[in-house]
Amino acid sequence: HLLDSALVTAAPVYDTDDREELLVGHALYKLFAGSAGQSFSKNRLKFDGLTRGKIVDRLESRTGYDRHVIDAHLDDLLQTFLDVGIITEVPWDEIRDKIQSSNQGEDVKDDTFDFIESARETAMDHDIVEDAESGVFTRIPRVDDSDIVLLPEASFCGECYRSYPVTAD
């Protein structure tokens, strides 16, 4: 409940003076640290983690932020989350094994491999990861030893019943 009420967030998220970056960063942290939302399905195959495109879609639908606002901050935030260990990239072997062991036909498997390859290229094109394995990002709680901070102040929207972190200034 502390995460949803914007009373705590990841330390690297709060380390900014930019209001939009703080809001997008907190929403991204909630997406990965929350109880649901960090998986997707492609061709009836469920994958743990999210591609950059899926992250943008989820943040846009859950927060109502404009896509260009999310795009403006997402790549730097993903790099930071990877650097401090909040998230990790799903290994290629894990993705490959899931696709190959499925009961799907070869056309469906090929389409799924193409989707993952596109996600991998997107991660490299956006400079999120220099040499991406899969372009699928996930949070493994037992591996995440990043710090969280108690926010000194939060704002509340009485019309939409959402809480938001605010900058120190």
Side-chain angles (χ1 to χ4, degrees):
H1 297 293
L2 293 175
L3 184 59
D4 289 333
S5 63
L7 295 177
V8 298
T9 198
V13 169
Y14 193 63
D15 191 25
T16 183
D17 294 326
D18 184 290
R19 183 180 59 85
E20 286 182 349
E21 184 178 3
L22 175 63
L23 293 174
V24 173
H26 181 69
L28 180 64
Y29 186 68
K30 276 178 53 174
L31 179 65
F32 280 107
S35 60
Q38 59 174 332
S39 65
F40 72 95
S41 294
K42 178 68 177 169
N43 295 325
R44 289 180 266 171
L45 291 172
K46 186 175 179 181
F47 295 93
D48 293 328
L50 296 169
T51 64
R52 185 189 186 283
K54 297 288 184 185
I55 292 168
V56 172
D57 292 344
R58 300 271 170 94
L59 291 178
E60 183 181 35
S61 69
R62 292 180 184 186
T63 65
Y65 303 155
D66 289 334
R67 199 170 189 89
H68 75 275
V69 171
I70 296 167
D71 269 332
H73 302 286
L74 185 58
D75 298 337
D76 289 339
L77 288 164
L78 286 171
Q79 285 174 345
T80 300
F81 280 27
L82 285 164
D83 289 346
V84 300
I86 295 172
I87 62 173
T88 187
E89 189 178 13
V90 177
W92 170 250
D93 293 344
E94 189 176 318
I95 298 285
R96 183 195 63 222
D97 292 348
K98 178 168 236 70
I99 296 169
Q100 288 180 336
S101 68
S102 75
N103 294 328
Q104 304 293 334
E106 289 305 312
D107 289 345
V108 172
K109 289 179 182 181
D110 289 344
D111 182 56
T112 307
F113 276 121
D114 290 345
F115 176 81
I116 297 297
E117 180 60 28
S118 176
R120 183 181 153 314
E121 289 173 5
T122 297
M124 291 186 298
D125 291 347
H126 284 260
D127 295 323
I128 299 166
V129 182
E130 189 173 312
D131 189 24
E133 280 196 53
S134 66
V136 178
F137 306 101
T138 193
R139 178 174 176 262
I140 303 170
R142 69 181 182 282
V143 175
D144 177 4
D145 63 352
S146 62
D147 294 327
I148 58 171
V149 293
L150 182 61
L151 299 174
E153 197 171 347
S155 64
F156 179 76
C157 174
E159 292 178 20
C160 65
Y161 301 106
R162 290 183 179 162
S163 297
Y164 302 95
V166 295
T167 57
D169 294 335

